[in-house]
Amino acid sequence: MNVEEFREYCLSKKGVTESFPFDDVTLVFKVMGKIFTICGLERLPPQANLKCDPERAVALREEYDGLILPGYHMSKIHWNTVLIDSNLPHDLLLELIDHSYDLIVSKLPKKVQEELK
C-alpha cells in the first residue's frame, strides 16, 4: 500500500477529516474531531501511527519486528508506528486502520456515536 491508498482508505470511513494541525508534513486523520492516525509524509519509508489495544500492540510488534514499532512520538502503550509501504499484508494494514478507528469511535460520547451512524 502506498501513502495515497492509505489516505483514500482513511477518508472512506464515516466522519473522517484530514488536516495538517502540526506542520505541513504531518497529515492527521480524525473521526468526529478525535485523532485515529497520524502520517508523517516526510518519513521514509512512509509510516503512520495507529492506535492499538495495548496487548495486541506488543504482539504485533513481536510478530512484525521492524515493520510495526512502538508509536513514534506517541504513547508506546497505545500507539504503533506502522510502515505503510512495506511487506505487511495489505489486509492486515486495512484491519489495523479499522482497529484504530473503532477504538476512537468506542470512546466517543454515545450521542456522537449515534450521529456517526
Side-chain angles (χ1 to χ4, degrees):
M1 176 179 288
N2 62 42
V3 174
E4 188 57 33
E5 291 169 324
F6 181 89
R7 177 182 172 270
E8 288 172 10
Y9 186 74
C10 288
L11 289 174
S12 74
K13 305 188 83 45
K14 285 186 181 178
V16 171
T17 59
E18 66 179 336
S19 63
F20 290 90
F22 307 118
D23 55 38
D24 60 348
V25 294
T26 307
L27 181 57
V28 174
F29 295 93
K30 297 179 181 181
V31 55
M32 304 303 281
K34 300 292 183 182
I35 295 173
F36 77 97
T37 186
I38 299 173
C39 185
L41 299 177
E42 85 293 357
R43 308 278 302 175
L44 294 175
Q47 51 194 266
N49 287 348
L50 295 165
K51 190 148 184 145
C52 191
D53 173 75
E55 289 180 21
R56 184 167 187 217
V58 172
L60 286 166
R61 292 174 201 160
E62 290 173 358
E63 184 174 352
Y64 297 97
D65 187 35
L67 301 177
I68 299 179
L69 312 162
Y72 179 72
H73 283 295
M74 303 292 279
S75 165
K76 309 294 188 239
I77 295 170
H78 296 282
W79 292 83
N80 278 336
T81 296
V82 178
L83 301 186
I84 297 171
D85 191 10
S86 68
N87 292 329
L88 279 178
H90 186 265
D91 290 344
L92 174 64
L93 187 50
L94 296 179
E95 195 275 324
L96 293 175
I97 295 168
D98 293 344
H99 180 63
S100 182
Y101 176 90
D102 292 342
L103 283 172
I104 298 302
V105 168
S106 73
K107 299 297 182 186
L108 293 172
K110 297 294 180 197
K111 182 179 177 183
V112 176
Q113 288 182 31
E114 288 300 317
E115 287 175 32
L116 194 57
K117 292 180 182 179

